[in-house]
Amino acid sequence: MNTGRFVTFEGIDGAGKSSHIDAVAERWRARGLEVVRTREPGGTPLAESLREMVLHRPMDALTEALLIFAARRDHLQQVIEPALARGAVVLCDRFTDATFAYQGAGRGFDLGVLETLEQWVQRHGPQLRQPDLTLWFDLAPEVAAQRLAAARTPDRFERLDAAFFTRVREGYAQRAAAAPGRFVRIDADAPREAVAQQIDAELAARGW
Ligand code: TYD
């Protein structure tokens, strides 16, 4: 692999991404590749501070969108772009698809404004920086809610109701339909081992 590769992991809260991100990181580290495992909002000291605010302090929808994109800008400049330029693999737990799904579809925030912010923040030379691959962990909100209830104290998003997560899921489906070459839908309701096998097969199919 001569140039870096940018892979993002998406899905509603409770879809079970984390352990699979670790497994993908291990797969590529074992081959001697540099792997940068990171997350959004977050990934730099500044962006992690913004994450704390976004996840725990009340704010209006535009403020929320601006803070998320501000965090993304810092993350891209400080971490993601330099890593890709060195030829590393960047594995990012959520990226801009989450903004379209949560702020756009979930909260009903203006998609046109999100598109404008995406253009500003992700401009990379003449192009727009987008993931090379997005693994979308899809499962029914009711199943995800059951998993979350057993797991942890909810943040501002995890406290939202089933109707919100139904809209978020629909938002992901729309992003996937708009970028079918980049998105892969993972059946996150399948047993853990089956999910891992599906991911392995998708990566192998790309020669990764
Ligand atoms: P999450 O990956 O679920 O972190 P954790 O596993 O620690 O809970 O992300 C935190 C929350 O941030 C999640 O509920 C989704 C939300 N979020 C947005 O609303 N918009 C965004 O653009 C991003 C990246 C995340």
Side-chain angles (χ1 to χ4, degrees), residues 13 17 40 51 68 72 94 99 102-103 157-158:
D13 292 271
K17 302 169 264 114
E40 290 218 344
R51 175 190 177 95
I68 287 169
R72 181 161 300 136
R94 302 187 183 282
T99 316
Y102 280 77
Q103 280 63 50
F157 293 99
E158 292 166 356

Side-chain angles (χ1 to χ4, degrees), residues 79-143:
V79 174
I80 297 175
E81 292 299 352
L84 294 175
R86 306 194 284 278
V89 178
V90 176
L91 305 181
C92 193
D93 187 347
R94 302 187 183 282
F95 194 63
T96 305
D97 297 310
T99 316
F100 280 86
Y102 280 77
Q103 280 63 50
R107 295 228 192 272
F109 186 70
D110 190 324
L111 295 178
V113 174
L114 297 183
E115 279 164 16
T116 301
L117 292 170
E118 180 184 37
Q119 297 277 335
W120 284 0
V121 167
Q122 288 163 236
R123 169 97 22 242
H124 178 68
Q127 288 173 336
L128 206 60
R129 172 62 74 192
Q130 293 290 12
D132 297 302
L133 173 68
T134 297
L135 297 173
W136 168 36
F137 289 69
D138 185 37
L139 88 169
E142 309 79 62
V143 180

